[in-house]
Every structure is written in structure tokens, then in C-alpha cells.
Amino acid sequence: MPKLSGLGHVGIYVNDLMNQRDFYSRVMGLVITDEDLEQRGMVFMSANPEEEHHEFVIMKGRNVAADAKMVQQLSFKVDSLAELKKFHTTFKEENVKILRTVSHGNAFGMYASDPEGNTIEVYYRTGFPVPQPHGDVVNLDDSEEDLIAIAKAAIPA
């Protein structure tokens, strides 16, 4: 059987291309690597454009009912708990609707809604061997030491 080496990129249709473009570039910090706003209505974005041209694409043309569930979640990883805490602060400052913040033991996740109601997750991997699903509600305003203690406590004996 052939083997995949990873997920290359994800693309979603959006209602308001410019609003979503602003959110994912300005608030989430993705770099716009290419775009065709007039003809096709597409924006290509990357967290690390030197390594990957795009991991995320938005395209105008979403044509479903406003309450349709199209995306379960879009997850973006960060390299440290400190970066996750910075996103927590930014989301509060930008009035981004934070749905929940949890320790999965093997990761900390902050779930929120983008401007069109898609669930996004920003997460930091701890590397702790905790079986899933697991989710302890946490407060990202707590100290990193306290948060790590919660994650470690979930490691099975």
C-alpha cells in the first residue's frame, strides 16, 4: 500500500473573501504567498513560506445555508505554550469567540470561531503519552508550570 508523508494543504470556500483574508493573515499570522482576488477569488497562505508555499487556501464561492456545518475544525500548531498563550491574548483583544481551552494531555488546544463560524484550533503539542480522547478544561491565563502539571497528571500510571 502506498504511504502518505503528510497533509499538504487545506482549502475552504468562504462567503466574504476579504474578511477571511484579513482574519487569517492579520489575526492568525499566516503569510499571503499568492492571490487572485479578481478572477478566481483565491488566497494562498503559509505559516512558513520558505518551507511550504501554502498550507491553507481560501476561495470565494461558499453557497450553502448559513447554518450548514461544512468544516469540523481547522487546526494550527504553535511551537510553544507561550505562543498559544499569546494567541489567547490576541483572540481576546480581537473579540474572537473562544469556544473552549483544554489540555488533551498530549497537547493544549484553544478552540475558537473564525468570522464565518468555522471552528479553528490553535494547539501546542506536549509530547506526553496520553490516550485520546481526553480533555481537561484549562485557563490559559494560568502559569505555564500549572498548565504543564495538569497535562502531566493525565499520563496513565
Side-chain angles (χ1 to χ4, degrees):
M1 171 186 253
K3 183 177 186 237
L4 297 173
S5 63
L7 178 63
H9 62 268
V10 172
I12 64 170
Y13 287 107
V14 299
N15 289 314
D16 186 335
L17 183 67
M18 297 310 288
N19 192 37
Q20 291 289 73
R21 177 185 183 273
D22 176 66
F23 176 78
Y24 283 103
S25 62
R26 187 178 57 78
V27 177
M28 297 300 294
L30 294 174
V31 176
I32 297 170
T33 56
D34 275 313
E35 59 188 356
D36 176 356
L37 299 176
E38 299 302 319
Q39 299 274 332
R40 298 192 61 200
M42 298 177 75
V43 180
F44 298 86
M45 301 180 187
S46 179
N48 187 356
E50 293 78 28
E51 186 176 306
E52 189 72 47
H53 178 268
H54 62 277
E55 296 112 340
F56 189 55
V57 179
I58 56 174
M59 185 171 185
K60 68 181 177 184
R62 187 171 178 169
N63 60 358
V64 297
D67 62 347
K69 292 184 178 182
M70 301 291 295
V71 177
Q72 189 268 334
Q73 75 183 37
L74 301 165
S75 297
F76 300 91
K77 61 184 170 181
V78 294
D79 290 333
S80 69
L81 189 49
E83 283 299 312
L84 180 62
K85 290 168 75 68
K86 287 179 188 176
F87 269 103
H88 186 248
T89 299
T90 297
F91 281 12
K92 290 191 292 187
E93 291 171 352
E94 293 286 338
N95 295 313
V96 174
K97 182 179 179 183
I98 298 172
L99 304 172
R100 66 186 188 284
T101 55
V102 299
S103 168
H104 295 298
N106 66 350
F108 288 96
M110 176 178 57
Y111 298 84
S113 296
D114 79 4
E116 293 191 2
N118 298 305
T119 299
I120 58 173
E121 176 192 23
V122 179
Y123 73 98
Y124 165 66
R125 294 183 296 174
T126 66
F128 300 146
V130 177
Q132 298 301 306
H134 179 88
D136 294 317
V137 174
V138 295
N139 182 345
L140 291 178
D141 291 324
D142 289 349
S143 72
E144 288 190 33
E145 295 78 20
D146 288 347
L147 291 167
I148 294 295
I150 292 168
K152 281 185 178 177
I155 298 172

